[in-house]
Structure formats: structure tokens, C-alpha cells
């Protein structure tokens, strides 16, 4: 019981801190995305594609969450985008407190889009709010279409689902209509975008989804008034 | 700090309970396997293959750990093997306490092999000992060969690594030599078995690994003296 009560307090403090951080981002018109998935679903590959498409037009910052190492951060930096690495040292998710030092380093007045790549885990990250406006969950076709039924919290906490590794669809047992039905049961009407970060298929739809939200936050840039410095 | 101290106590109690459960299994010569992986790496498909190969020769019991639902348990039962479903109700891993009611239901005197399928999560299950003699981690080729570097605890706590979905190897960016090198750095000399649960490739090597350990626990059955009832 002590464990459960402590967990409730931890989650409430985390929610409160994330809300404050989000408010600061709102003041500067910064769009925040919390990108989640199981291990190896293609989050970093999607960020690479995002950096290619939006890096020349917007000021983009990535925060990489990993238990250890900086493999993904190196890939993102190679795409010419700013990146801060957070190592959770064993923890299975990012939380608002872990993000605080990174956010203190970032000049929000000089930013349009913040993409936070969470630790690869289809369970725990869903419980911890981050300074993000949208939770985006990536599910890859080799993982199987039963995942929303088995990991319901992640899907019900999401604002967008990306079905990645579409190039492998013919080779794997993945029932796309059944996945869509399961996702819609957890989050009725949610948008589902199908991509292959490898071939580029469908990526423009994800980019359009982001740009629509970037324009809504920074109307000036929508008219091309504020090019990237 | 309170959180860290509480976690230490939780882990110590769990270790102690798992040890007692393992002792009871030892008294009956039952081999216990804790099968772990990220979501959708193929644990259930490997258990289906295991049921096909060992079900006719040994008394096999599966315990399915899932956050919710019984999709995997249904698949296992369809292979003619006994199965108990544990729903963790949101928890990201199995622990020894969750297994206690299931173990109380099982007649260990009438069992040779207990396979516990943990929750699909490459982080948290590694921290909680179960009544198992071997931790087996499945990594699938579409997840990428960088996983041991990014999830070191899971691999360093494993006694065997299975590289599954070998049939997809030509279609994905998976560097098998680099994976083997990374795994060996975390757990020198560990056996790595390459399989495709889908095509059956390599599965006989996994079955042989299990049978070697089954024979060591129940010498009578190794001579064919105790056929399955």
C-alpha cells in the first residue's frame, strides 16, 4: 500500500511539473512532441526523416531519452539538428524532472519544435506526462497488430498513432484493419498514419500533421515571415 | 530517496520469495524458464514451437504474463499445453508475488518444464527475479542490433539469447556480428541461438538447449522411463 501511495504522489508531482514546463513552451509558441514506442519500432528513423523535412524550415530541437549511451543522439546530430542526450541510468521512462536540466539549456525563444524521444518501452512512459502537447506512439508491423489490446494505456494516452515499417507488411503477420479497430476502441477517432521511415512512404503525411500544428502555434512562420536562423 | 529505499526493499523481498519458489521446483526436478523480450519479438511463437516439440515428450506448463487479456494464453492452449494467464493490471513486469497464486494451482510433482512468458518489455522485467532457473531474452531482427547497448541490464541478466525473426534478416538493418559482440561484452561466452519461429529455422537448437537441461534435472526421463501421462 505504501508503494501505491508513493507512486500516486510521484505521478501528481510529475504532472504538475510537466504542466509548468508546457506553459513556458506555450509562451514561446514551441510545439512539443513526446514520441513513444517499444524498442526498435523506428522512433529515431522517423526523427531523422523529420529533421530532413523540417530542419530547413523550422528551428528543431531533439531530446533523446535512453537508458545509456548516445547512439540515437549521434544519428540525429548527423542530420544537422540540435540534440540533447538524457541517460536515465536504468529508469524505464523519461519524466518531467529528468527533462528539467535539458529544458534549462534550451533557448525556447529560438525554437519552434521540440521532439522528445522517450525510452523504448510500450508500458511505463505512458504513465509520466512530459512537457509535450502531443503523445505520439509508433507501432511497427513486425511487432504484430495485437499490441493495442495488450498495451492499452499507451494507446489510450496517445494523440496520434504511427504504424511504421510498412515496407515489411507483406512479410509479417500484421492485420492492419484489426489494429485500426483496436486502436479506435481505445481512442475513438484518433488519426493513424502509416509510414515506412526506411523507404519514406507515408512520411509526408506525418510531416503535414506536424506542420499543421506548427503553423497553429506560430502564425508568423506560416506566412514565411520568420525563416530559420 | 524514500522511493529508492522502498524499491531496494521491494527487490530484496522479491528475490527471497523467488528463491523459495525455485527451491520447491528443485524438489520436484522442474525446470523453470523466464522468457523475456520487448513487445512482439516472438516469445509466444517460440512457446508454440516449444509446445509442439516438447509437449509429446515432457509435462509442460506455461504461465502467460500480460498487462491485460488472454490472447497469448489462447494460442498456447491451442497447442495442447496447460497454461495459466496472469494479468498484471498495468504493471510492466511479472514478479514472484504475482506468480504465487499460479504456482499454488500447479502440481509440481506432475511437471517437467515451466515456461513463464514475461510482459513484453526490454527494461523492467530484468529487475525482478522469478521462480526460474534460466533467464532467456529474445531479440528480433527488426528491432535492430543496437539493443544490447541500449538495454544492457536485460542482456547482462540473461543466460541465453535468442535472435528471432531470422527470416526477416535480408529485409532489415540488423548487424548480427555487431549484436554478438555487444552481447558478449555484457555477458562473456553466453550462448546465442538464431531462430525463425515462423519458418522453424534454428528452433531445434533451442529445443536441444532445453532438453539438455531437462535431462539434467530428471535423469529418469532421459532414459525414456517416464513418458508423458
Amino acid at each position: 500500500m505504501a508503494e501505491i501511495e508513493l507512486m500516486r504522489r510521484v505521478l501528481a508531482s510529475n504532472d504538475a511539473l510537466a504542466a509548468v514546463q508546457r506553459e513556458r513552451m506555450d509562451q514561446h509558441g514551441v510545439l512539443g512532441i513526446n514520441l513513444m514506442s517499444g524498442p526498435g519500432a523506428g522512433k529515431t528513423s522517423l526523427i531523422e526523416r523529420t529533421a530532413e523535412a523540417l530542419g530547413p524550415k523550422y528551428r528543431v530541437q531533439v531530446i533523446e531519452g535512453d537508458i545509456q549511451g548516445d547512439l540515437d543522439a549521434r544519428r540525429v546530430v548527423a542530420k544537422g539538428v540540435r540534440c540533447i542526450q538524457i541517460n536515465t541510468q536504468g529508469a524505464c521512462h523519461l519524466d518531467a524532472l529528468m527533462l528539467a536540466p535539458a529544458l534549462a539549456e534550451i533557448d525556447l525563444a529560438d525554437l519552434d519544435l521540440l521532439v522528445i524521444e522517450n525510452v523504448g518501452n510500450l508500458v511505463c512512459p505512458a504513465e509520466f506526462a512530459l512537457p509535450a502537447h502531443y503523445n505520439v506512439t509508433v507501432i511497427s508491423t513486425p511487432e504484430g497488430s495485437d499490441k493495442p489490446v495488450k498495451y492499452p494505456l499507451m494507446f489510450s494516452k496517445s494523440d496520434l498513432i504511427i504504424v511504421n515499417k510498412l515496407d515489411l507488411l507483406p512479410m509479417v503477420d500484421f492485420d492492419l484493419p484489426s489494429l485500426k479497430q483496436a486502436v479506435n476502441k481505445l481512442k475513438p477517432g484518433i488519426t493513424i498514419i502509416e509510414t515506412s521511415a526506411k523507404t519514406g512512404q507515408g512520411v509526408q503525411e506525418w510531416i503535414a500533421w506536424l506542420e499543421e500544428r506548427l503553423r497553429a502555434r506560430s502564425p508568423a512562420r506560416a506566412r514565411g515571415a520568420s525563416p530559420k536562423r
Side-chain angles (χ1 to χ4, degrees), chain A:
Chain A
M1 293 308 285
E3 194 190 1
I4 291 170
E5 182 48 41
L6 185 62
M7 195 61 200
R8 269 199 207 108
R9 277 191 281 142
V10 168
L11 288 176
S13 320
N14 184 73
D15 284 355
L17 178 57
V20 170
Q21 293 169 331
R22 210 177 297 117
E23 241 171 73
R24 270 194 61 223
M25 290 165 64
D26 287 337
Q27 284 161 12
H28 294 283
V30 175
L31 174 69
I33 302 291
N34 175 18
L35 200 57
M36 299 183 282
S37 80
K43 293 186 296 305
T44 314
S45 300
L46 276 167
I47 291 175
E48 288 177 314
R49 290 283 183 178
T50 307
E52 285 165 4
L54 297 184
K57 293 165 75 178
Y58 297 90
R59 296 164 297 178
V60 180
Q61 168 79 52
V62 175
I63 295 179
E64 279 293 337
D66 284 292
I67 292 171
Q68 73 165 35
D70 61 356
L71 290 177
D72 294 348
R74 284 164 190 262
R75 289 171 57 187
V76 171
V77 167
K79 294 290 175 184
V81 161
R82 302 176 244 174
C83 185
I84 295 176
Q85 175 77 55
I86 297 179
N87 280 149
T88 66
Q89 313 290 357
C92 49
H93 60 271
L94 289 176
D95 63 31
L97 194 59
M98 288 184 214
L99 284 169
L103 284 176
E105 270 183 50
I106 297 170
D107 178 6
L108 293 177
D110 185 29
L111 190 63
D112 301 310
L113 172 64
L114 174 65
V115 180
I116 305 164
E117 182 176 345
N118 219 313
V119 176
N121 181 336
L122 215 42
V123 191
C124 318
E127 296 197 63
F128 293 84
L130 296 188
H133 301 92
Y134 296 96
N135 287 333
V136 177
T137 295
V138 183
I139 172 84
S140 63
T141 58
E143 291 171 71
S145 40
D146 59 353
K147 291 301 160 289
V149 176
K150 298 178 73 179
Y151 304 86
L153 185 67
M154 180 61 77
F155 290 86
S156 64
K157 286 260 186 124
S158 295
D159 304 295
L160 174 73
I161 304 295
I162 297 179
V163 179
N164 193 36
K165 304 196 186 178
L166 216 58
D167 54 299
L168 295 179
L169 194 56
M171 271 79 76
V172 297
D173 301 318
F174 187 89
D175 183 344
L176 198 49
S178 137
L179 174 109
K180 288 180 178 175
Q181 198 179 9
V183 167
N184 264 290
K185 212 170 152 183
L186 293 164
K187 190 88 183 223
I190 191 173
T191 301
I192 301 174
I193 294 177
E194 301 161 28
T195 64
S196 165
K198 190 173 186 176
T199 69
Q201 187 189 351
V203 171
Q204 74 287 352
E205 208 183 326
W206 155 240
I207 298 301
W209 186 93
L210 280 173
E211 285 212 272
E212 195 186 321
R213 278 145 191 90
L214 280 163
R215 281 192 298 267
R217 301 215 142 237
S218 308
R221 268 185 294 284
R223 298 190 304 270
S226 174
K228 189 192 175 190
R229 274 165 281 178

